Each structure stands twice: as structure tokens, then as C-alpha cells.
Amino acid sequence: IQSSLREELLSWASDPGLTMDERKRMVRQLLAQWHPDKNRHMSNIATYIFQWIQEEVNRIVASLQGASEDSTRKEAEYQQR
């Protein structure tokens, strides 16, 4: 489950055709799908997956921000030359 969810999240993050609002909506829908209150029959698994999705989204956002900061820094260094 995790690998397929990770692939889905990464594809959304790297899709240039999606706006940030669309990406956020898709993540909210995915979180709603796995919310423990909506999956009482498997609440332990749903809780684990729900929390994992939140952590994975935070990790992807942090890595994208880091890549963006590196790109900005490199561009500034290039312009100084």
C-alpha cells in the first residue's frame, strides 16, 4: 500500500499541470479516504496509513523546498559571475 501511495503522491508533486490548490485537494481526498473514522472496521491500519500519508507529504514538501532553495542559490551564484 505504501509504495503505491508514495508513487501517487510523488506523481502529483511532480506534475507541472497541477496547481498547488489541486494538489492540496487531492491530498485531502486521499487523507479522507484513509481517515480512521471512515474505516472503523480497520481503524488500526487506517490510523497507521493516515499518519504515514501525513509524514510522507511533509517529507516530499521539505525535499521540494530544499531543491527549490538549492536552485535559487545556484542561480544567484551564476548571476554573480
Side-chain angles (χ1 to χ4, degrees), residues 31-42:
L31 286 168
Q33 177 184 344
W34 283 99
H35 196 281
D37 290 346
K38 294 190 178 199
N39 295 285
R40 292 179 191 252
H41 61 287
M42 56 177 192

Side-chain angles (χ1 to χ4, degrees), residues 4-71:
S4 64
L5 289 174
R6 181 179 290 120
E7 287 176 22
E8 192 170 10
L9 291 168
L10 287 171
S11 71
W12 294 344
S14 62
D15 186 344
L18 293 174
T19 66
M20 186 57 73
D21 287 339
E22 290 172 323
R23 291 177 184 149
K24 288 179 182 179
R25 180 182 51 78
M26 294 167 87
V27 169
R28 281 193 307 269
Q29 288 175 343
L30 186 62
L31 286 168
Q33 177 184 344
W34 283 99
H35 196 281
D37 290 346
K38 294 190 178 199
N39 295 285
R40 292 179 191 252
H41 61 287
M42 56 177 192
S43 66
N44 290 340
I45 295 170
T47 299
Y48 177 80
I49 296 295
F50 184 86
Q51 291 172 346
W52 181 86
I53 292 169
Q54 291 176 316
E55 292 169 5
E56 191 67 12
V57 166
N58 290 336
R59 188 189 65 76
I60 291 170
V61 168
S63 70
L64 291 175
Q65 287 176 342
S68 176
E69 290 170 2
D70 287 346
S71 174

